[in-house]
Amino acid sequence: MVVTTASRFAEQVVTTMLQNGSYRKLTERLRTKLSGQMAATLTLLKRTGWESFIEPAGGMFVWVRHPAIRSSTQLVQYAQRKGITLSPGHLFLPEDDDSPWVRLNVAYMNDARARSFILEPAGGRSG
């Protein structure tokens, strides 16, 4: 049996946030911000030649691939050279086969390293 508890103070903070509406306001602000980030990220990806698997209706992730790079494992290696941590697409597939797709978190796309990676995913090389 697993029991998870929080401190009494933390429970009171959460209760207060739920009762006074501040949690709802916080999530609405977050949803709005992520929506803007998603739109900006999709625009950047399209402009730089990336392909999205499907255009998300919400959330914070987008599945993408670069047509010049066949392996998400290669993309992960290129990203590491720019100080970015990505998970290769095969980690999200039941068959564990290599995939060109990676999952990007749009919340980080304003970071200069992320933008640099999107502009030149392979450091000027094709895979």
Side-chain angles (χ1 to χ4, degrees):
M1 179 155 108
V2 176
V3 178
T4 305
T5 61
S7 71
R8 183 175 180 92
F9 174 75
E11 291 174 353
Q12 289 174 338
V13 168
V14 170
T15 299
T16 300
M17 289 180 72
L18 291 171
Q19 288 174 341
N20 71 14
S22 60
Y23 180 77
R24 180 185 46 78
K25 292 174 190 172
L26 174 70
T27 57
E28 287 173 3
R29 281 194 310 269
L30 180 59
R31 187 178 300 121
T32 300
K33 187 174 183 176
L34 280 174
S35 178
Q37 280 291 110
M38 180 65 77
T41 298
L42 290 171
T43 298
L44 175 65
L45 291 167
K46 288 175 188 173
R47 192 178 72 222
T48 55
W50 289 76
E51 299 172 6
S52 59
F53 185 76
I54 190 168
E55 191 166 313
M60 56 193 275
F61 296 106
V62 60
W63 281 93
V64 296
R65 74 181 189 97
H66 194 280
I69 302 168
R70 294 183 196 102
S71 168
S72 63
T73 303
Q74 286 177 324
L75 276 173
V76 168
Q77 292 169 354
Y78 298 146
Q80 284 176 337
R81 292 185 194 131
K82 293 188 182 248
I84 298 168
T85 302
L86 292 177
S87 297
H90 72 87
L91 294 179
F92 300 93
L93 300 173
E95 61 273 0
D96 199 38
D97 291 336
D98 195 12
S99 166
W101 300 96
V102 293
R103 187 179 77 162
L104 297 180
N105 185 331
V106 302
Y108 293 99
M109 292 309 297
N110 281 336
D111 185 285
R113 293 169 297 179
R115 294 181 79 74
S116 173
F117 171 71
I118 294 301
L119 294 172
E120 269 190 81
R125 295 172 287 194
S126 297

